[in-house]
Amino acid sequence: MRTFDYLRAENTTTAITEAAKPETRFLAGGTTLLDLMKLNVERPAHLVDITRLPGLDTIEISPDVIRIGALAKMSKVAAHADIIEAAPVLSESLWRAASAQLRNMASIGGNLMQRTRCTYFRDPGAYSNCNKRNPGSGCAALEGINRNHAVLGTSDACIAISPGDFAVSLVAFDASVLVRGTVERRIPIDDFYLLPGQTPHLEHQLSSGEMIIGVEIPRVAALKQSHYLKVRDRASYEFAAASAAVGIEFESDGKTVRDVRIAVGGVATKPWRLRAVEDALKGRPIDEATLRTAAAAAVDGARSSGRNGFKIELTPKVVARALMTVGEISHDTEERFRT
Ligand code: SF4
C-alpha cells in the first residue's frame, strides 16, 4: 500500500480547501474507501477525515421535505421512527443494504459514493484491463464472468452495476444531492450519476473540492405508501440481483393510480428510473393485466452480456411484486410474479 497523509478537518471550509488538492479523498465511515485502498484500487495521496464535522448528521422532516445529513449513519436513518412512518422505502432500502456492522459505520454520503463490486475492477493484481480503473485498457467483464453485471445503461466500455440500494429509492422520488464547494449547489440525483459511455471512470457530477453535505427528498404522497423489494442470492447479506423502489398514490376510489414512482437497482449502471412503466400505470387501476403490460417495459433496451440474461426476465417480476405489495394486491396474484 502507498503512503498517504491524513488530516482531520474541524470545519467544512478546511475540508473543502484540502480536498481541492490532487489525489485527495474524503474519509467518513471508510467502509468502501479503506477496502479499496487495501485492494490497491484507490491510491489517494491525502485523506481528509470529515467524521468530526459538526451539523452534518441531522435528520429533519418538514411537511414538504425530508433532509438527511451526509454524515448520518445508515442504521440511524433506517431506524428513525419518522422516516419509517413518512417514507418506508428509505428505511427499507437502508435496512436491506450491507450488514449490521457496516450500516453502523457507513454514512449516507459515503453510501451514495460507493463503487461497483465488479470483480475485475476490484482486483488490479490479476486484471489490468478495466476501463473504469485504467481508462482505455478494455473491459475484462465483457468476455468474463458477468452474471452480476448490468443489462441496462451499459456501453461497450463498461457493464458494471451501480451497487447502491438507498440511491435507488432516492432516484424513484426525485431527491436532490446537496453539495458544498466554493459555492453550494443542488443536483437532481438522476443527473448526479453518469452513464459509463466511453468514460466509465467518471461516475458522478462531483468536482474536486466538492463535498456532499446531505440529500433532500420531496414529501410527495406516494412516498408514504412506498416499498423497497430486494431480490438477492442470499437473504442475509448480499448485493441485489434485482431490486425495486416503488410508491403509489391512488385516486379517492382507492384503485386508480394518480401517481406512481419506480426505480430499479442491481440491473443497471446507475440507479434506473422507470418512467415508461410509471406512464403505463398512471390513470389505471392496478390489476394483473395492467401490471404485466406495464412491468414488461422495465427492461426496454436491456442487453445481456452472456451470463446476466436472467436479469432481463427477473426485473419485470420484481417491479410487479413490489407494486403489488405497496398496492395491497391479492396474494394469489402476487404468487404469479414470484421470482
Ligand atoms: Fe472495469 Fe467496468 Fe469492465 Fe468491470 S465492467 S472490468 S468495472 S470496465
Side-chain angles (χ1 to χ4, degrees), residues 113-252:
M113 296 295 286
Q114 64 183 303
R115 305 198 69 191
T116 183
R117 307 299 296 187
C118 173
T119 310
Y120 305 100
F121 170 76
R122 293 171 62 87
D123 193 350
Y127 304 100
S128 59
N129 47 340
C130 170
N131 287 320
K132 187 181 283 295
R133 180 168 30 78
N134 185 13
S137 62
C139 172
L142 285 172
E143 303 298 328
I145 298 173
N146 47 42
R147 181 181 183 275
N148 293 325
H149 285 72
V151 294
L152 290 164
T154 59
S155 71
D156 58 5
C158 183
I159 56 172
I161 273 183
S162 173
D165 294 295
F166 184 58
V168 178
S169 62
L170 295 183
V171 165
F173 287 91
D174 295 319
S176 295
V177 182
L178 311 177
V179 170
R180 186 175 294 163
T182 49
V183 295
E184 290 202 8
R185 61 185 183 128
R186 164 192 304 264
I187 307 171
I189 191 155
D190 210 10
D191 299 335
F192 181 78
Y193 293 108
L194 304 176
L195 288 168
Q198 296 306 305
T199 54
H201 59 293
L202 304 176
E203 298 176 348
H204 51 72
Q205 283 215 24
L206 277 190
S207 302
S208 170
E210 283 191 315
M211 181 171 71
I212 296 175
I213 58 169
V215 292
E216 205 171 80
I217 307 104
R219 290 189 67 187
V220 297
L223 188 59
K224 191 166 172 61
Q225 195 164 350
S226 62
H227 177 50
Y228 188 74
L229 174 64
K230 182 173 182 178
V231 173
R232 44 192 164 173
D233 289 341
R234 55 178 180 174
S236 63
Y237 177 91
E238 187 55 277
F239 290 85
S243 67
V246 304
I248 301 177
E249 178 193 8
F250 287 108
E251 298 285 2
S252 53

Side-chain angles (χ1 to χ4, degrees), residues 27-328:
L27 176 67
T31 54
T32 292
L33 179 61
L34 298 185
D35 258 7
L36 292 178
M37 288 173 68
K38 290 174 191 169
L39 292 168
N40 212 23
V41 173
E42 290 277 6
R43 296 157 57 87
H46 313 282
L47 283 188
V48 179
D49 183 342
I50 57 173
T51 53
R52 305 290 173 90
L53 295 184
L56 293 184
D57 63 349
T58 54
I59 300 169
E60 299 165 46
I61 303 182
S62 74
D64 298 328
V65 76
I66 297 172
R67 188 174 294 121
I68 303 171
L71 293 180
K73 298 295 187 190
M74 289 172 67
S75 54
K76 181 181 169 190
V77 180
H80 196 286
D82 294 339
I83 296 282
I84 294 170
E85 166 70 18
V89 70
L90 301 182
S91 172
E92 292 170 9
S93 63
L94 288 165
W95 275 129
R96 285 167 177 74
S99 66
Q101 295 93 331
L102 291 171
R103 291 193 296 269
N104 285 337
M105 283 298 296
S107 66
I108 289 297
N111 183 270
L112 298 185
M113 296 295 286
Q114 64 183 303
R115 305 198 69 191
T116 183
R117 307 299 296 187
C118 173
T119 310
Y120 305 100
F121 170 76
R122 293 171 62 87
D123 193 350
Y127 304 100
S128 59
N129 47 340
C130 170
N131 287 320
K132 187 181 283 295
R133 180 168 30 78
N134 185 13
S137 62
C139 172
L142 285 172
E143 303 298 328
I145 298 173
N146 47 42
R147 181 181 183 275
N148 293 325
H149 285 72
V151 294
L152 290 164
T154 59
S155 71
D156 58 5
C158 183
I159 56 172
I161 273 183
S162 173
D165 294 295
F166 184 58
V168 178
S169 62
L170 295 183
V171 165
F173 287 91
D174 295 319
S176 295
V177 182
L178 311 177
V179 170
R180 186 175 294 163
T182 49
V183 295
E184 290 202 8
R185 61 185 183 128
R186 164 192 304 264
I187 307 171
I189 191 155
D190 210 10
D191 299 335
F192 181 78
Y193 293 108
L194 304 176
L195 288 168
Q198 296 306 305
T199 54
H201 59 293
L202 304 176
E203 298 176 348
H204 51 72
Q205 283 215 24
L206 277 190
S207 302
S208 170
E210 283 191 315
M211 181 171 71
I212 296 175
I213 58 169
V215 292
E216 205 171 80
I217 307 104
R219 290 189 67 187
V220 297
L223 188 59
K224 191 166 172 61
Q225 195 164 350
S226 62
H227 177 50
Y228 188 74
L229 174 64
K230 182 173 182 178
V231 173
R232 44 192 164 173
D233 289 341
R234 55 178 180 174
S236 63
Y237 177 91
E238 187 55 277
F239 290 85
S243 67
V246 304
I248 301 177
E249 178 193 8
F250 287 108
E251 298 285 2
S252 53
D253 63 6
K255 296 177 187 165
T256 307
V257 175
R258 177 182 294 166
D259 185 24
V260 58
R261 308 298 180 94
I262 313 167
V264 288
V267 295
T269 53
K270 60 183 262 184
W272 200 256
R273 183 79 177 262
L274 295 180
R275 294 187 191 279
V277 181
E278 294 174 0
D279 290 343
L281 292 169
K282 284 179 190 166
R284 297 170 185 270
I286 291 203
D287 54 28
E288 185 173 343
T290 306
L291 266 181
R292 278 193 190 284
T293 306
V299 286
D300 282 352
R303 195 172 66 170
S304 167
S305 298
R307 302 187 189 202
N308 58 354
F310 75 98
K311 288 177 185 261
I312 298 175
E313 189 181 342
L314 178 63
T315 303
K317 294 182 177 181
V318 171
V319 168
R321 269 185 60 197
L323 287 165
M324 278 186 281
T325 299
V326 81
E328 297 175 348

